[in-house]
Amino acid sequence: MTSAAAPPLRQRADLLFGLGWIVLGAAIAAGSWRMDRLEGQGVEPYAVPGLVPGLLGILLALLGLAMALRARRGPAAGTEAARAEPWRAALALVLVAGFVLGLLGRGPPFWLAAFIFMFLAILLFEWPDRRRAGTLARGAVQAVLIAAAASAIITLVFQEVFLVRLP
C-alpha cells in the first residue's frame, strides 16, 4: 500500500528526467568550456569551438531545472489532460523526421525548410483548440508570421553570427 503523500509516478519520472537533463546539460557545458579557444589563430570570440554546444548545454540544464521544479510543485490545473494525448508525441516525431530526413539539405534552402517545419508544428499542435474556439484562420495567420520571423532570425544568426553555411 502506498502512502497518500507519495507523488504520482509521472511526477516522479519528471523529477528524475529533469535531474538527468541538468546533469547532461552541465556535462555538455563543462566539456565545451574545456575546448581550445584558438585565440592564437585569430578566431573571433563568438565563433570559437564549443560556444554553441556550451550554450545548448546551459539551456538543457535550465530546462531540466524547470522540469524538476515543476515536478516538485505538482501538475498545474489542466496539464494532465494535455499530457494524456499521445498523438502529440507522435506528431512531434513525424514533424522532426520529416524535417531532418525530407527537407534539411534535400532541396529547399534552410530558411524555407525551417519555415515549413515551424508553420506545420504551430498549426497542427494548435489545431484542436483553435477548431473548438473557431479561430483556425487567425491561428494560421499567426503560424505564418511566427514561422517567417523565426526562420529568418535563425538563418541570420547561424550564417552571420556563427558563420555556419546552411544548406
Side-chain angles (χ1 to χ4, degrees):
M1 182 171 225
T2 61
S3 74
L9 182 60
R10 189 174 291 159
Q11 192 174 340
R12 281 184 284 174
D14 282 355
L15 177 61
L16 291 175
F17 274 102
L19 294 174
W21 286 116
I22 292 169
V23 170
L24 179 63
I28 292 170
S32 67
W33 182 260
R34 299 167 115 193
M35 291 180 75
D36 187 4
R37 298 284 174 251
L38 304 177
E39 293 98 351
Q41 296 179 6
V43 173
E44 296 291 331
Y46 56 82
V48 298
L51 178 63
V52 173
L55 293 174
L56 292 175
I58 291 168
L59 182 62
L60 276 177
L62 289 174
L63 292 174
L65 178 63
M67 185 178 193
L69 291 174
R70 187 187 70 196
R72 297 251 321 148
R73 279 197 313 260
T79 58
E80 285 302 315
R83 272 198 203 176
E85 299 180 59
W87 68 268
R88 291 181 180 273
L91 177 60
L93 288 173
V94 167
L95 287 170
V96 169
F99 178 69
V100 172
L101 301 173
L103 293 174
L104 194 57
R106 290 179 173 72
F110 176 82
W111 65 266
L112 181 57
F115 170 83
I116 292 168
F117 171 78
M118 286 184 274
F119 170 73
L120 288 175
I122 294 167
L123 185 71
L124 295 175
F125 279 112
E126 290 186 349
W127 188 275
D129 295 331
R130 292 228 176 246
R131 190 179 65 195
R132 273 192 298 278
T135 59
L136 282 174
R138 181 176 180 212
V141 169
Q142 286 178 341
V144 165
L145 295 174
I146 293 168
S151 66
I153 291 168
I154 291 166
T155 301
L156 286 173
V157 166
F158 272 90
Q159 288 184 170
E160 303 303 323
V161 176
F162 296 122
L163 305 175
V164 174
R165 250 184 73 202
L166 297 171

